[in-house]
């Protein structure tokens, strides 16, 4: 049996879209929510769109303990509290894929601006908050929730993956690469999330300005070299 | 006669590549350098590659005074001093296209890291340093000098353009759009240069990691809407 992926915050737009896409790709998915009932309802909604999907919903601590790859997809304002609540559930060896973006909306500001995080990025803050032995990888900042959650939409974009542990990063790249039309790009160490997280604000601004749902793509890479 | 564009720092790699591409597109180019003789030599090198090009080289102050669109393409460490030296040459109404990136190399650091600029970005620092009535626009951070200066290379990428003045931004977009394969994307106000300037560090990291010369492209824009 393929190992499952837990998505904490899969009742939100981005997390739910990711659950849909992964379920469609045949990945067993565990949906986490603060409220176990809401998580179970989200799982039902995934199965409605992806009949036969291996997906279940659990309260966050149980969900986080159920997989060794856990996606954290919560608003920045909730990131620290959520991670603290999951400390006992994240065992050593777990890979945490953090997709949090420190948008200024967390403090009532604009979604085209970001907050300065003391550690440098939301991902680096996450690394500080997880138990020893848990490795943080950061990705999926420019993939629109709207596109992810519309299974009829053909994705055609890249996502920058950053992290300090090559194996953890490769694991995330493999997962992301299972979603058709989404190409993982190795963008370096976790500290590069200082740049990649800001791309959410940039693309939101472009969306507003161009009435679009933009994504990003890297040109000029040799064929097949997107993952180094 | 079409109005000329001055490139201050066109003896550097990016500036020279831009001079070549603009000359090839039929834009009259004035090359500026601290040393007028070096500027004149660079103009000769442009004409060698683009026979019949309308290009001349002048010392920076004369070069800056010669056009009402001036590109500033110098290392970040020289940006402030260069702009101070040009104050008397930049008249009200001039558009300054700043392509400066605050790479950490300015202080001996890595090219995959950026410095924090008090004003938020190199472009915003430029806006503070230019005389009243001069408008700063920022662009061209992810276009590789190596690709620009190789006229045999077919460009196929976008560049994010930011600025507070719509007319100035449109002027820059029109200029950039004259280079085949390079699409200007309106990325918002000048403060967004805080994000777009960092993309140089991101693409340099990707280049090293993937042995490539990367560029960026925005997907998901409605046809013809790249410039709003």
């Amino acid at each position: 049996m393929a190992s499952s992926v837990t998505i904490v915050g899969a009742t939100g737009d981005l997390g739910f879209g990711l659950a849909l896409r992964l379920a469609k790709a045949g990945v067993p998915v565990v949906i986490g929510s603060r409220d176990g009932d809401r998580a179970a309802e989200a799982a039902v909604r995934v199965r409605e769109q992806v009949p036969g999907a291996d997906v279940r919903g659990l309260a966050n601590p149980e969900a986080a303990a159920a997989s060794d790859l856990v996606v954290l997809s919560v608003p920045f304002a909730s990131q620290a509290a959520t991670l603290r609540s999951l400390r006992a559930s994240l065992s050593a060896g777990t890979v945490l894929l953090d997709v949090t973006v420190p948008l200024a909306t967390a403090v009532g500001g604009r979604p085209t601006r970001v907050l300065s995080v003391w550690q440098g990025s939301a991902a680096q803050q996450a690394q500080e908050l997880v138990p020893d032995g848990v490795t943080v990888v950061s990705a999926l900042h420019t993939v629109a929730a709207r596109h992810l959650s519309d299974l009829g939409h053909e994705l055609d974009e890249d996502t920058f993956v950053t992290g300090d542990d090559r194996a953890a990063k490769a694991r995330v790249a493999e997962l992301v690469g299972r979603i058709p039309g989404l190409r993982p790009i190795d963008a370096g160490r976790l500290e590069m999330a200082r740049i990649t997280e800001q791309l959410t604000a940039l693309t939101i601004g472009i969306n507003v300005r161009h009435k679009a749902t933009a994504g990003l793509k890297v040109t000029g890479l040799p064929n097949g070299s997107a993952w180094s």
Side-chain angles (χ1 to χ4, degrees), chain A:
Chain A
M1 193 186 111
S3 62
S4 66
V5 171
T6 288
I7 304 173
V8 170
T11 53
D13 289 344
L14 183 68
F16 185 74
L18 188 61
L20 273 179
R21 293 279 179 171
L22 291 177
K24 180 139 196 227
V27 178
V29 172
V30 180
I31 285 180
S33 177
R34 271 178 301 181
D35 177 349
D37 289 341
R38 284 195 65 201
E41 285 162 23
V44 169
R45 284 191 287 133
V46 170
R47 277 192 301 269
E48 281 168 6
Q49 291 197 51
V50 186
D54 180 355
V55 56
R56 60 203 166 116
L58 297 170
N60 278 338
E62 291 73 36
S67 309
D68 58 5
L69 176 48
V70 176
V71 182
L72 182 67
S73 177
V74 296
F76 180 58
S78 314
Q79 188 203 32
T82 304
L83 282 176
R84 286 196 194 97
S85 77
L86 296 180
R87 280 190 66 87
S89 311
L90 296 169
S91 53
T94 301
V95 174
L96 183 85
L97 170 55
D98 180 61
V99 306
T100 310
V101 174
L103 294 182
T105 47
V107 294
R110 300 184 191 167
T112 53
R113 291 176 173 173
V114 290
L115 299 175
S116 174
V117 181
W118 188 266
Q119 296 88 340
S121 61
Q124 289 168 287
Q125 173 167 285
Q127 185 64 69
E128 193 176 282
L129 291 169
V130 294
D132 285 351
V134 175
T135 307
V136 174
V137 174
S138 173
L140 295 176
H141 307 106
T142 56
V143 185
R146 189 182 144 198
H147 280 169
L148 269 186
S149 46
D150 173 6
L151 288 178
H153 176 83
E154 277 189 35
L155 293 172
D156 178 28
E157 59 192 276
D158 295 340
T159 187
F160 297 107
V161 183
T162 65
D164 291 335
D165 183 280
R166 291 187 67 84
K169 222 170 15 167
R171 174 101 198 270
V172 167
E174 189 273 331
L175 183 76
V176 165
R178 293 182 68 161
I179 300 176
L182 190 56
R183 180 175 68 157
I185 304 278
D186 185 351
R189 295 180 69 88
L190 196 64
E191 64 175 35
M192 297 302 279
R194 295 173 187 195
I195 301 178
T196 55
E197 288 175 3
Q198 301 195 21
L199 297 177
T200 306
L202 184 71
T203 48
I204 288 173
I206 288 172
N207 288 347
V208 171
R209 210 162 277 273
H210 299 282
K211 296 176 183 57
T213 307
L216 288 181
K217 226 173 163 159
V218 177
T219 67
L221 295 184
N223 278 339
S225 82
W227 194 256
S228 63

